[in-house]
Amino acid sequence: MKKILTILLATFIISSCSDENCNRPGLSCTEELRFVSVEIFDASGANIILDSTKTTNTSGFVLFSQQKSEIEIFTSHAVVSDSEYDQLDFDGTELTFEGWKDGDLIVSEPFVVGKDCCHIEKLIGPEAITVQ
């Protein structure tokens, strides 16, 4: 019985988050990869698929970027993902999402993205952008 309890306790500790801000009993993170994303529309409401995107922090460091070949299968554009978790602050990091179409910058939008103990989360930013 003692061996079973030890194994269960070890499993719980391994699956729980280790960040010092997240030392809460019973916290267990999922293994899914989450994204903050945004849809881009033209003035008539048609979805725009950008040729490339880039998300930078206030220092100009590129956290996330995509080219058309990675984008064209989706109708929304990723701003950042859980892959950038360690580069974001719990209380939010200011980011700028930029998008290009036919060589022109047509989208430049601020976002604030934070994180909880397991995943990133959008704090400020639009769900959709209409390009005029």
Side-chain angles (χ1 to χ4, degrees):
M1 180 67 160
K2 203 175 197 183
K3 188 175 183 179
I4 292 172
L5 287 175
T6 304
I7 292 171
L8 287 174
L9 181 61
T11 302
F12 174 75
I13 291 170
I14 290 169
S15 67
S16 296
C17 294
S18 61
D19 192 289
E20 62 190 47
N21 292 315
C22 299
N23 290 331
R24 295 192 311 251
L27 179 66
S28 181
C29 298
T30 63
E31 303 250 346
E32 66 186 286
L33 181 67
R34 294 193 185 167
F35 291 83
V36 170
S37 60
V38 64
E39 291 186 284
I40 313 294
F41 298 100
D42 66 16
S44 69
N47 192 282
I48 297 175
I49 303 300
L50 299 170
D51 295 333
S52 62
T53 66
K54 174 175 74 172
T55 303
T56 56
N57 63 16
T58 55
S59 300
F61 178 77
V62 177
L63 274 79
F64 192 85
S65 64
Q66 288 187 307
Q67 299 301 312
K68 188 170 186 171
S69 60
E70 301 167 294
I71 297 171
E72 60 191 2
I73 60 172
F74 302 104
T75 59
S76 63
H77 298 276
V79 177
V80 289
S81 73
D82 277 340
S83 296
E84 290 73 48
Y85 181 91
D86 291 336
Q87 298 168 20
L88 301 171
D89 297 325
F90 280 91
D91 58 351
T93 300
E94 293 180 28
L95 305 174
T96 301
F97 171 80
E98 296 176 313
W100 287 264
K101 184 75 173 173
D102 299 325
D104 295 323
L105 176 66
I106 65 168
V107 175
S108 182
E109 191 72 32
F111 282 80
V112 176
V113 178
K115 60 185 178 181
D116 61 19
C117 295
C118 301
H119 298 285
I120 64 169
E121 57 186 350
K122 179 176 68 172
L123 303 175
I124 298 172
E127 296 291 321
I129 300 169
T130 301
V131 177
Q132 301 301 324

